[in-house]
Amino acid sequence: MFKTTKKDLVFFDLLSSMMEDTCVAADLLLDLLTNYNDVDNKIKEIEKYEHKCDKTVHELVNELNRSFITPIDREDIFDLTKAMDNITDNIEFAAQRLNLFAIQEIRPRAVETAKLISSCVKELKVVVDEMKQMRTSKLLQEKVIEVNKLENEGDRLYNSLIHDLFTVEKDPIEIIKWKEIIETMESTLDACEEVANIIEGIVSKNV
């Protein structure tokens, strides 16, 4: 039966810290798309938080290597850590492509996707925080469902954005640029759902 000790909490604390940095990165991406100025510096700030997440990944792996017993299966901790890292990787990739592709103007509906990402990672932060008390949590399952709903909303928005791109945009270069940016942002939402699904699997094995 699942229960945590003080020593176990280090894993959950590191996962929560990682999600906190992911939330900041998502909000920075939203700000970048909403207020498209000072682009280089805003991207550097996003990169800073992606690097912080990478550092936490290394800390978690080192902790796994040092620990004989872990609060949940070490494979699950590793898979969860890598899946969480994928979220910030994709946030960084989306931001960098704006610069790489010399984007001059942001499409309004791309901002809608960034808002979904920001909302989704905030819900996911609650899910990760609730893992410490997964047996008694009243919020964990509810928030997993909310993440899935937001990802589904993201799918619908993605389809609409791609349709608009190919029916409205006349410049083939702009189509190529924005298709990749939109797909990267959609991959961010997919990564959020993957994390939620991994946690749901962990809960089903440990309560």
Side-chain angles (χ1 to χ4, degrees):
M1 187 175 291
F2 176 83
K3 62 180 181 179
T4 56
T5 65
K6 271 189 176 181
K7 191 172 185 299
D8 294 333
L9 290 177
V10 66
F11 292 102
F12 298 111
D13 288 342
L14 285 169
L15 290 168
S16 291
S17 173
M18 191 171 173
M19 275 309 307
E20 183 66 39
D21 289 332
T22 302
C23 287
V24 176
D27 283 344
L28 288 169
L29 178 64
L30 176 57
D31 176 64
L32 172 61
L33 289 169
T34 305
N35 306 294
Y36 197 57
N37 52 48
D38 196 20
V39 174
D40 287 345
N41 286 328
K42 287 182 177 180
I43 291 173
K44 284 176 185 175
E45 193 69 10
I46 291 170
E47 289 170 345
K48 182 177 84 173
Y49 281 92
E50 192 278 331
H51 295 331
K52 285 185 71 177
C53 287
D54 283 345
K55 184 180 176 184
T56 306
V57 169
H58 294 307
E59 289 181 49
L60 275 157
V61 171
N62 288 338
E63 198 64 44
L64 279 174
N65 291 336
R66 286 196 297 266
S67 300
F68 181 67
I69 298 174
T70 55
I72 54 180
D73 288 349
R74 62 182 62 244
E75 293 83 3
D76 286 336
I77 295 174
F78 183 78
D79 289 345
L80 178 58
T81 301
K82 294 305 292 180
M84 286 169 58
D85 191 42
N86 285 339
I87 300 173
T88 39
D89 283 347
N90 278 295
I91 289 171
E92 180 189 40
F93 295 157
Q96 289 174 338
R97 276 158 175 71
L98 295 169
N99 214 2
L100 183 65
F101 298 158
I103 298 298
Q104 299 300 309
E105 186 176 348
I106 299 299
R107 291 173 178 264
R109 300 196 68 199
V111 178
E112 292 179 43
T113 308
K115 287 178 180 176
L116 277 180
I117 291 169
S118 179
S119 296
C120 203
V121 296
K122 286 179 173 64
E123 299 290 350
L124 205 51
K125 173 69 165 60
V126 178
V127 175
V128 172
D129 288 346
E130 289 293 302
M131 287 182 71
K132 291 179 185 177
Q133 59 269 353
M134 66 176 77
R135 275 193 70 222
T136 57
S137 174
K138 306 296 184 187
L139 282 176
L140 195 152
Q141 189 60 36
E142 173 189 324
K143 294 299 182 180
V144 165
I145 292 169
E146 188 59 33
V147 170
N148 290 332
K149 285 181 179 176
L150 288 167
E151 195 279 331
N152 288 337
E153 190 177 338
D155 284 343
R156 290 190 291 272
L157 181 57
Y158 167 79
N159 290 336
S160 177
L161 281 164
I162 294 296
H163 178 268
D164 288 350
L165 190 62
F166 280 93
T167 55
V168 177
E169 181 59 58
K170 303 303 180 187
D171 185 342
I173 301 300
E174 286 298 305
I175 292 174
I176 292 169
K177 290 177 180 180
W178 275 102
K179 182 174 181 291
E180 185 160 343
I181 292 167
I182 292 165
E183 286 177 345
T184 304
M185 294 176 75
E186 169 60 15
S187 294
T188 308
L189 289 167
D190 289 343
C192 289
E193 184 176 49
E194 182 183 4
V195 169
N197 290 342
I198 289 172
I199 293 174
E200 196 170 32
I202 290 170
V203 171
S204 70
K205 289 193 292 185
N206 288 280
V207 299

